[in-house]
Amino acid sequence: MSLQPLRLWRRRREAPEDRVRRVLVRAIRDLPRDCRDVFLIHRFVGLSVDQIAEHLGIDQQAVEARLAEALVRLSRAVDEAGCGGASERK
């Protein structure tokens, strides 16, 4: 017996928030290490740009550039996965 119908059924049951979360986790994992480190420290540890720069021994512009790159890549991943459309935010 094929499990394909069961897999399709599970996908249909998945909440949009779960799908976005799954896409984001994968996208964060796929970020270049320097961007990922800055993003995770900023978003989940809560350090400021100044604090991250001091902690990593880099200048503020480098932190800002890495954070911006991470956000662009994550946004693109969500859009490409079809999770960012206005119709799904209703």
Side-chain angles (χ1 to χ4, degrees):
M1 181 175 151
S2 171
L3 294 177
Q4 188 64 23
L6 181 59
R7 288 186 187 123
L8 292 174
W9 180 74
R10 283 184 181 163
R11 279 192 198 132
R12 276 188 250 130
R13 278 190 20 212
E14 184 177 47
E17 298 83 17
D18 293 337
R19 183 166 181 235
V20 172
R21 185 175 296 114
R22 186 172 36 85
V23 167
L24 281 171
V25 167
R26 184 178 302 130
I28 290 168
R29 194 177 317 134
D30 291 343
L31 286 171
R33 183 175 184 165
D34 56 347
C35 292
R36 183 178 61 239
D37 290 348
V38 167
F39 176 79
L40 292 174
I41 292 169
H42 187 266
R43 294 295 170 146
F44 296 105
V45 177
L47 295 184
S48 69
V49 170
D50 296 339
Q51 292 169 322
I52 296 170
E54 184 177 330
H55 177 73
L56 295 178
I58 58 178
D59 60 34
Q60 286 180 310
Q61 291 85 1
V63 173
E64 291 169 351
R66 292 174 186 185
L67 184 56
E69 178 68 21
L71 293 173
V72 166
R73 287 175 180 248
L74 295 176
S75 177
R76 189 177 302 137
V78 169
D79 288 345
E80 288 174 358
C83 298
S87 64
E88 291 185 271
R89 293 184 192 146
K90 290 181 182 176

